[in-house]
Amino acid sequence: MELKRIFVSDLLASWKKFQQTQLLFPFYPSHGQARSEFLAAVKRGEGFWLQRKSQWLLVDKIDKDNTWQINNLLISLNLGWQTAFLLLENAARQKFKRALYLKIEANLILQQWLIDQGYQLLDGLWQKELVYHTGLVLGGGGARGAYQIGVWKALLEKNIQFEVITGTSVGGLNGALIAQGDYNQAWALWEEIETDKVLDITFKEVEELDFSAQVDQLRTFIKVSLQQRGVSSEPLRGLLEERLDEPKIQTGCPFYVVTTKVPAFQEVIVSLNECPAEEIIDWLLASAAFFPMMAMAKIKDEYYVDGGYRNNLPVDIALQKPITELIVVDVHGPGLDKKYRLPDNVAELALASPWGLGDLLLFQSARSSENIDLGYLETKRAFDELQGYRYFFSCHSNFEMITKDFLRYAKTEITLKKEALYPELQKFFGAHVPTEMLSLAFLEFFAYWVNVSPVQVYTPQEFIETILRQFEMPIKLSATFSVQEQIGDFIESHNVFSDYYQVLQIYQQEGSLETFYRRWPIPTLLALFFKYIRNINLTIGS
């Protein structure tokens, strides 16, 4: 759950429920006036909502100097006021805001309650400085782990410190780099990484690593791992010996890695702060021993394999510490993700890319560099410093204006039923897409299909130009993409029953599109939108 901007179309789609919301605190004399003022805030772009199942928390806030000034709070009838207040503070912690300011006139009872919650009245505002005790959880995922270093880069820019780190497999390796506090060492390791620098395997020399060469590498990898009962990770040991400072890890924040003891198949949790310095790399390698592709690790006559077999995303370990928020970075590794219950007083920032992050065991420095950038940009977006669903744009990019202009154009081509757009958008995209942001969703639809790179911050004009250029001159996925990704791209690009092909077929129709719009409203609008961006000279805010 996170606080997201709410749009007028969102309120209209749930108008009856909105009309039943009530003031949490006396920001206004009546519930009705508070609802009217919130609607005005939504139109200004200052209205936000948090939804938990059927419960709503509506917030009118202003961001200022890394704080939130709260000017109005509305809650649904089934949301208790104490729970609502806790959700508000958790939402602020998700964004790592420095303080909360409440602009209310409080009676004596409310004043005492606010004081008990850590608020004080200064300059007419009830203010609370937020104190952070942050845990970091890093999941396993092999070569995809570079993404976690990009996340760390964005966290460093916000000066976010950790009071506990837990990691499995590559998450343990990255956790060690983070625990010693040296971003440059982490970046250098991932920038130079290649499979033969991690595992004791030699691939056939090729002039260019294309699709067939990647298939050959995977075939070689499987063959060698079967012959040797797992490929040795001794080259990785050498990299870690070069990059890690064991005494810094021992004296850093509490840091735990997970491995699996065999043959009992038992989860083993290791505190690296308490390990002898000479054992730290042994335990890191034990946590990352992805058997049978990689050889088992042997420590004191006991054998260990990848911790992901028992606990690939060790949130439960971090929750044993007195933390107030948790950052969880999942890189789609195989294994067991334990279910966990997040305490009500702990905020969670979950980061998991919607993009594929490459092969699990084929390490490529170029792909690692892209994944670092992707982790960095997605974390910046999570902190509302960028916008977009799958791609990235400046927060000043005015997609609402583009949408309004497009809908005016669409009305000249079809009998547009604007009130029916909202449910159709949710159904087509399978995600929350307000009508006002239709242009952003449509642009990202075309960008994804023509393989526009996500690792860049675009202006709308640059994005449109890139889409049109790659539509005219299609590009294939480079060899930095996994075999699975390239096969998937081939299947999608040749699937004549896909949404993309349906849109192109409608786009190529001559004459009126009314019949198509009545039957397939969103594909028809997408076809019109493509005509719009090709034929109209847009003046777009960047």
Side-chain angles (χ1 to χ4, degrees), residues 94-129:
Q94 277 186 323
K95 308 296 183 182
F96 285 83
K97 296 300 176 180
R98 181 177 56 82
L100 278 174
Y101 297 164
L102 303 178
K103 192 176 181 180
I104 55 174
E105 295 289 337
N107 59 28
L108 290 176
I109 295 175
L110 181 54
Q111 286 180 24
Q112 186 57 55
W113 186 86
L114 288 168
I115 291 169
D116 291 343
Q117 301 305 309
Y119 286 79
Q120 56 182 324
L121 184 61
L122 296 171
D123 301 323
L125 295 172
W126 287 93
Q127 305 181 16
K128 179 177 182 177
E129 297 287 328

Side-chain angles (χ1 to χ4, degrees), residues 515-533:
T515 303
F516 293 97
Y517 178 65
R518 286 196 294 270
R519 188 170 183 182
W520 301 294
I522 300 304
T524 304
L525 279 178
L526 278 161
L528 281 172
F529 188 78
F530 195 61
K531 288 184 179 181
Y532 169 75
I533 64 175

Side-chain angles (χ1 to χ4, degrees), residues 318-450:
L319 288 176
Q320 294 175 19
K321 300 297 179 180
I323 57 177
T324 53
E325 56 285 326
L326 197 59
I327 300 172
V328 181
V329 191
D330 185 359
V331 287
H332 314 306
L336 175 67
D337 291 349
K338 287 184 178 180
K339 292 183 179 180
Y340 60 93
R341 182 190 174 280
L342 195 71
D344 291 339
N345 61 342
V346 176
E348 180 183 37
L349 175 61
L351 296 165
S353 180
W355 296 93
L357 299 174
D359 277 310
L360 188 70
L361 290 170
L362 291 183
F363 292 80
Q364 298 170 277
S365 58
R367 186 60 187 269
S368 295
S369 179
E370 291 180 2
N371 284 343
I372 288 173
D373 291 342
L374 193 60
Y376 174 76
L377 292 172
E378 290 189 356
T379 307
K380 298 276 280 187
R381 186 174 60 198
F383 290 134
D384 298 328
E385 295 172 22
L386 295 169
Q387 64 172 319
Y389 298 122
R390 294 174 68 97
Y391 291 86
F392 308 99
F393 306 89
S394 161
C395 289
H396 300 293
S397 300
N398 195 343
F399 291 102
E400 291 175 80
M401 183 271 286
I402 301 172
T403 299
K404 286 180 181 178
D405 195 54
F406 164 65
L407 291 178
R408 282 194 294 267
Y409 166 77
K411 286 178 181 178
T412 66
E413 299 288 328
I414 57 174
T415 305
L416 185 65
K417 299 177 181 178
K418 191 175 177 181
E419 66 280 0
L421 284 181
Y422 189 90
E424 292 293 340
L425 284 167
Q426 318 313 308
K427 188 192 308 181
F428 183 85
F429 287 103
H432 172 232
V433 178
T435 304
E436 293 86 342
M437 299 299 281
L438 170 153
S439 61
L440 171 59
F442 280 14
L443 284 170
E444 290 198 359
F445 172 87
F446 288 111
Y448 176 77
W449 277 100
V450 297

Side-chain angles (χ1 to χ4, degrees), residues 133-405:
H133 304 282
T134 308
L136 177 66
V137 178
L138 303 169
R144 303 164 187 166
Y147 177 90
Q148 296 171 341
I149 300 303
V151 171
W152 183 34
K153 178 183 178 183
L155 299 180
L156 283 171
E157 289 183 355
K158 295 186 75 70
N159 196 31
I160 294 173
Q161 306 296 317
F162 312 113
E163 296 193 8
V164 60
I165 300 173
T166 67
T168 296
S169 195
V170 74
L173 303 180
N174 284 331
L177 294 163
I178 293 170
Q180 72 181 22
D182 191 338
Y183 174 79
N184 290 333
Q185 287 284 15
W187 179 85
L189 186 149
W190 281 101
E191 282 289 307
E192 70 178 31
I193 206 164
E194 297 290 343
T195 303
D196 58 4
K197 292 183 179 180
V198 176
L199 301 170
D200 189 11
I201 190 169
T202 302
F203 295 124
K204 181 173 61 177
E205 295 255 349
V206 293
E207 290 185 9
E208 182 181 354
L209 187 61
D210 57 10
F211 177 77
S212 60
Q214 279 190 294
V215 172
D216 285 342
Q217 285 188 352
L218 282 173
R219 188 181 293 118
T220 299
F221 199 111
I222 294 170
K223 180 181 178 181
V224 172
S225 65
L226 291 174
Q227 289 174 340
Q228 299 180 0
R229 298 190 65 190
V231 179
S232 170
S233 59
E234 280 305 302
L236 178 57
R237 178 184 293 275
L239 275 180
L240 295 178
E241 288 173 348
E242 180 183 348
R243 299 293 181 186
L244 292 185
D245 186 334
E246 289 87 347
K248 281 187 178 180
I249 294 172
Q250 288 178 310
T251 58
C253 80
F255 172 38
Y256 300 87
V257 296
V258 179
T259 185
T260 304
K261 186 177 180 180
V262 291
F265 221 61
Q266 172 189 354
E267 178 183 352
V268 176
I269 302 167
V270 183
S271 170
L272 292 194
N273 309 86
E274 300 172 5
C275 279
E278 64 273 12
E279 290 185 11
I280 287 178
I281 290 178
D282 291 337
W283 286 114
L284 291 173
L285 293 175
S287 179
F290 187 54
F291 185 82
M293 304 301 288
M294 296 170 63
M296 296 182 187
K298 184 179 180 182
I299 302 175
K300 296 179 180 177
D301 296 325
E302 300 281 1
Y303 287 91
Y304 299 87
V305 295
D306 197 292
Y309 286 113
R310 299 298 298 163
N311 193 354
N312 194 58
L313 200 63
V315 176
D316 59 318
I317 301 170
L319 288 176
Q320 294 175 19
K321 300 297 179 180
I323 57 177
T324 53
E325 56 285 326
L326 197 59
I327 300 172
V328 181
V329 191
D330 185 359
V331 287
H332 314 306
L336 175 67
D337 291 349
K338 287 184 178 180
K339 292 183 179 180
Y340 60 93
R341 182 190 174 280
L342 195 71
D344 291 339
N345 61 342
V346 176
E348 180 183 37
L349 175 61
L351 296 165
S353 180
W355 296 93
L357 299 174
D359 277 310
L360 188 70
L361 290 170
L362 291 183
F363 292 80
Q364 298 170 277
S365 58
R367 186 60 187 269
S368 295
S369 179
E370 291 180 2
N371 284 343
I372 288 173
D373 291 342
L374 193 60
Y376 174 76
L377 292 172
E378 290 189 356
T379 307
K380 298 276 280 187
R381 186 174 60 198
F383 290 134
D384 298 328
E385 295 172 22
L386 295 169
Q387 64 172 319
Y389 298 122
R390 294 174 68 97
Y391 291 86
F392 308 99
F393 306 89
S394 161
C395 289
H396 300 293
S397 300
N398 195 343
F399 291 102
E400 291 175 80
M401 183 271 286
I402 301 172
T403 299
K404 286 180 181 178
D405 195 54

